[in-house]
Amino acid sequence: MPAIEALGHVGVYAEDLMAQRDFYSRVMGLKIADEDLENRGMVFMSADPKREHHEFVLVKGRVTNDDAKVIQQISFIVNSVEDLKEFHQRLKAEDITIDRTVSHGNALGMYFFDPEGNRIELYYRTGFDVPQPHGDPIDMEATAEELLDTARAAIPAS
């Protein structure tokens, strides 16, 4: 049977394409790989365009009721606990409300919403084998080692 290797990219409709473009490039740090703002209203973004042309696409034209929930969450992996902590500071500096900071045991996660109300998660993979769902609140002001200790404490006793 054929197998899927990995998720290639996610496309999200945007009411205000330029505000979303600014948020994901300036605040989240994604790089714009290509865009067609005039005709198609599309922005192709990547964490590393040389490795993967685009992992995230914004497309003008979100059409839903104001209370419709069309995305459960969009999750981005960070390379280190320190990166997660730096994003925490960046989001606070941008006056973005951080909804939840949690240890899933197998990951440390931080949840918030983009300018159009899409739930975003930034997470660091700890490598610890912890059954899911699991969630212990964490304080992003703690040291990286303290945060990892919280995740490590969730490993089931063998």
Side-chain angles (χ1 to χ4, degrees), residues 1-6:
M1 178 161 130
I4 292 174
E5 178 184 342

Side-chain angles (χ1 to χ4, degrees), residues 33-47:
D34 277 314
E35 61 187 356
D36 178 356
L37 300 175
E38 297 299 318
N39 296 312
R40 305 254 337 252
M42 298 176 79
V43 181
F44 297 87
M45 308 182 96
S46 178

